[in-house]
Every structure is written in C-alpha cells, then in structure tokens.
Amino acid sequence: MTLQPRKKSRQAFENFLLAHYERALRVEKVTSRPFVLLLDPSSLCQLQCPVCPTGLENAGKVGHGRTFYRASRKLLSREIFDTVLAELGDTLFFVHLYNWGEPLLNPNLSYFIRELVQRDIAVDIHTNLSLPLNDRAIEELIDSGLGRIEASIDGFSQESYGRYRVNGRFDLARDNLVRLAAARDRLGADTQIVWNFLVFRFNEAEIEPTRRFCEERGIEFVRREAALSEALRDEFLPSYREGEILEDFFVQRAKPFDPGAIAGRPDQSCGWHYYYSVVNADGSVSPCCAPWESDWDFGCIEAGRTSFADIWNSQALQASRRDVAGHRLLAKLRSSGALAAIASVDDFLKQGTICQGCQMPLGMLELSSNLAEIIVSHYVQSMQGKNPFLDRAFQLVRSQPEAFVRHYGASLPK
C-alpha cells in the first residue's frame, strides 16, 4: 500500500504540469511550486541511533570535526507551519511530516495533520514510536485524517531492537503500534499502519516472526535495508550483504578531488529543485532530504519577512538548478586558475552549493517519482474527461516527456 492523494483542484493539477514543463526546459527561475513537501515537526529525538545525525548530536558523538549539524534545534511552531501552508497549501498533494527528528515530540502534530487534511493534502509520518502515548493521543492520531504512519521497529526483542534504537523500548513501540491498529479498526478509519524493519546482522532471524505478528493484527510489514558506514560493518551489516562497499556521505566528500569524475557526470536536472522540497523545524529550507548540515540550507522562512517563494527562487537555488552536474562550477574554477587549490570533493562543493557536483546516487534526483506517477493516476480517476487539453497533458507528462513539452508549450502565450 502507498499513500494516496486527496486533492482534486485544477490549480494543483496545473501546477503539477507546470513543474514538469519547467524542469524539462531547465528553467532556473520558476513559477511552479513543489507538489511534495517534507515538513519536519521536530529537529529533536529521544533516541541515539548510531547512524542518525540527530541522535549522534544529542549523544555528543558528532565526529567529522563538527560541533553541530543543525544550528537550530527546536519544534516546528504553528506560526511557521501556518506560513508554509498559506503559501503552498493550494498546490501540495503530499506532505511528509518527518525528516531527521521525531514528529511525536511536537504537541501540535495533530493540529498540523488536521490543517493539511482540511486542504485535501495527503499526510504521513515516520516515527520511532518509543514514547508513552495515552489513549487520547492514539485516537487523535487516527481521527486526524492521517493517511499513513510508519513505525521504525528493527527487531522482535529488546536485545536486538536496542542495539540500533539506542534508548528505545521495544515493548513500548510494539504495543503503541498495536494500539494504533486497534484504534483504526474501532474508529473505522483507513489509516495505513506500518511496521518498518531495518535489517541488521543481529535481527535477521526475527524477520519472519515479525512479519507473522503484523499479519495477525492487520499491520503492514515493510522490510528495509539500512544505510551503513564501514565502521559499523562487523556489527550491523546483514550476512547477505557481505562484500558491499560502504561509504557514508562524509567519506565521499573527503576523497581527493577528481575533475574527471565531475566532467563525466551526466548533465541533468534534479526533481528536488522542481517537484519536492524540505522545510525543517526552524523554517530553514534544505536542498533535499539527504544533507542534514545547516551549512547547506538555501534560506529560512520567517513569517512576514522571508517567504518560501523567496528561497525557491534564490540565487543559490537557481545556481543549483543550472548546474547539478557541477560542469559549470568546474569550468569557472579552471578558467580562474583556482582549480589547483581544490584538494577534496568537499573543497569543490564549498565553492558553490552542495547540489553543484551532487555526490548522491543519481536515483536521489528522482526519489519521489513514484508519487508523481500516483498523481497522474489520480488525475485519470478523478478528472479525466473534463478538459481535453489536461487529459492529453496527463497522458504524456510522464510517459512521453518530449511530446508533453510540445503539447504544453503550444498552449502558452506567444
């Protein structure tokens, strides 16, 4: 099962098409808005998971020569939330209320969900669920209109679970998930309840018992692979992944700089610059969901002062749209004679934005493409037959992008 869209407004569908058109043309200053948003209710977490920067920072084990990752650690305020919703609410199909923090720590979470659902925006959250929840809190979550809640519970015993979810309580997280499923059934809601299971060497034997437990209680079981560093190989890497090359984000960036690697990258655009965006708990806007350091933020939303639109078309974001491959930045450094001073990948990135010469796998550029496909299907089911131009545009937009550009462009003023 996947989160399903709710919105059926022509404005939202037209923005979806415009975003695809502007990306296809590599427009740098856009008029479209993202149709998927990661909006983090919290930059805090009560757990200390070994590869999570939020937990590592809380534990004082940052490493990599840093004293912080996020300059501001807080809970998302109603003021920032209302500002974002007022600006983007008409065009958003999906809002993920999570990123690097624990969303259930925010006492306004149910308010956020209800306000989004009232605007016909589909909402989901990811949570560790290892915190006390009374019956009222459980029912509020289900009754809020939340579309999907995924709980990260990696194991079927405290011994295995606690090796990664440090400071977490297995019985508390498991029982909370069961209570959520029971409340869903009692209230007749259609909220999707999910047990996320990251596979490690020490919990492999518990996969099937967990799957059976979920089947008996109407809980969706999702098996996931963990991103790990070389330092964690011996303890955490599952037996069937032996031999994998493990390089975390910092290791990649510390490597000696190779201009040929940048020159050889395909020159393409990124979905995070047109379709999706990330707003953190303090209102800062990140390039995508991967870099957690506040150093790379594009700007910060401030009610009455700085809007999302200001940041969405800022110089830094326009530069990122222009040069995801890093080709232009490389040429600039070469022509100025500054290239010789670049020793590491990190040195290169610091000459521009983190998107210029992006170090993430190319799949990250299309991370939420499945949601775009779902929106196309949603249009066909809910709007097909009402407007021939839009019908044709949605028929082409994902399957035949060049034909879509011709069809859409023909409708624009000459």
Side-chain angles (χ1 to χ4, degrees):
M1 298 175 66
T2 57
L3 191 64
Q4 295 299 311
R6 304 164 54 98
K7 186 162 290 181
K8 299 178 182 178
S9 74
R10 177 164 175 164
Q11 180 181 1
F13 285 121
E14 288 181 339
N15 176 77
F16 176 87
L17 295 174
L18 179 59
H20 280 77
Y21 182 76
E22 290 185 326
R23 183 183 181 188
L25 268 59
R26 301 289 292 272
V27 174
E28 295 172 18
K29 186 174 183 179
V30 300
T31 54
S32 62
R33 298 292 179 261
F35 50 82
V36 179
L37 182 68
L38 272 76
L39 180 57
D40 205 347
S42 169
S43 57
L44 308 168
C45 187
Q46 80 279 21
L47 303 190
Q48 295 175 354
C49 303
V51 299
C52 176
T54 307
L56 288 173
E57 184 171 335
N58 290 343
K61 300 176 182 177
V62 174
H64 303 290
R66 298 185 63 87
T67 56
F68 65 86
Y69 286 119
R70 291 250 129 235
S72 176
R73 304 296 293 273
K74 59 174 59 177
L75 302 175
L76 178 67
S77 68
R78 287 197 180 197
E79 180 182 45
I80 294 296
F81 173 84
D82 290 342
T83 299
V84 172
L85 185 60
E87 190 171 359
L88 300 179
D90 289 338
T91 56
L92 287 171
F93 283 93
F94 297 101
V95 167
H96 304 305
L97 280 175
Y98 61 88
N99 196 20
W100 287 109
E102 170 48 56
L104 291 178
L105 292 177
N106 195 317
N108 289 313
L109 183 63
S110 291
Y111 167 78
F112 298 156
I113 297 169
R114 290 181 184 278
E115 290 296 306
L116 291 165
V117 171
Q118 192 170 1
R119 301 288 286 270
D120 288 327
I121 299 168
V123 186
D124 65 342
I125 65 170
H126 284 209
T127 169
N128 60 59
L129 214 53
S130 182
L131 66 176
L133 295 174
N134 59 32
D135 291 343
R136 179 180 177 184
I138 292 285
E139 293 209 357
E140 276 188 357
L141 275 173
I142 298 299
D143 195 48
S144 66
L146 180 65
R148 185 175 175 91
I149 179 169
E150 300 197 20
S152 297
I153 310 175
D154 317 309
F156 203 59
S157 66
Q158 181 62 38
E159 181 182 7
S160 60
Y161 166 84
R163 288 176 71 174
Y164 184 74
R165 301 290 166 181
V166 179
N167 291 343
R169 284 177 49 195
F170 168 72
D171 59 342
L172 182 59
R174 175 202 60 201
D175 292 349
N176 280 339
L177 194 63
V178 170
R179 292 167 64 208
L180 283 164
R184 173 202 60 193
D185 297 343
R186 184 174 64 255
L187 297 173
D190 57 3
T191 308
Q192 299 170 19
I193 310 294
V194 182
W195 183 315
N196 273 334
F197 192 110
L198 284 177
V199 182
F200 300 111
R201 186 184 303 275
F202 47 79
N203 67 15
E204 289 180 72
E206 296 181 341
I207 295 172
E208 289 310 313
T210 307
R211 190 192 307 275
R212 290 194 295 272
F213 180 90
C214 290
E215 288 176 353
E216 293 167 0
R217 290 160 180 80
I219 297 170
E220 181 182 349
F221 176 79
V222 175
R223 169 179 170 168
R224 297 186 184 275
E225 299 298 335
L228 297 169
S229 65
E230 186 63 38
L232 299 175
R233 173 185 291 276
D234 291 344
E235 182 181 359
F236 287 91
L237 192 68
S239 60
Y240 57 86
R241 290 174 58 187
E242 280 296 340
E244 280 190 21
I245 297 174
L246 302 176
E247 293 183 347
D248 65 23
F249 198 43
F250 286 104
V251 170
Q252 287 178 317
R253 283 164 41 187
K255 284 183 174 181
F257 179 63
D258 176 12
I262 295 296
R265 283 180 60 89
D267 188 14
Q268 62 187 83
S269 60
C270 177
W272 290 96
H273 299 152
Y274 296 90
Y275 304 163
Y276 347 115
S277 190
V278 177
V279 177
N280 301 298
D282 63 350
S284 56
V285 178
S286 292
C288 68
C289 65
W292 48 79
E293 302 154 278
S294 52
D295 314 43
W296 301 108
D297 292 342
F298 286 133
C300 192
I301 297 167
E302 297 182 70
R305 296 184 61 184
T306 305
S307 67
F308 178 86
D310 294 333
I311 300 168
W312 193 233
N313 275 316
S314 63
Q315 288 186 355
L317 228 165
Q318 288 190 54
S320 297
R321 291 190 183 107
R322 181 167 59 247
D323 192 24
V324 176
H327 294 170
R328 291 170 177 81
L329 180 58
L330 181 65
K332 176 183 176 182
L333 294 173
R334 183 174 281 127
S335 65
S336 67
L339 190 61
I342 305 300
S344 69
V345 172
D346 210 37
D347 291 340
F348 176 75
L349 295 175
K350 287 176 180 177
Q351 305 305 308
T353 73
I354 198 171
C355 302
Q356 293 178 277
C358 173
Q359 294 299 297
M360 301 306 297
L362 292 177
M364 174 63 75
L365 278 58
E366 309 290 346
L367 188 64
S368 294
S369 61
N370 65 310
L371 295 180
E373 301 290 351
I374 291 171
I375 291 171
V376 170
S377 297
H378 177 60
Y379 173 86
V380 172
Q381 294 169 7
S382 61
M383 300 286 285
Q384 186 78 26
K386 296 182 179 180
N387 184 295
F389 171 79
L390 293 181
D391 290 352
R392 181 60 175 161
F394 271 90
Q395 181 183 7
L396 299 172
V397 63
R398 301 291 299 178
S399 60
Q400 300 179 55
E402 292 182 1
F404 163 73
V405 168
R406 291 194 298 271
H407 173 73
Y408 190 94
S411 71
L412 299 177
K414 304 299 182 185

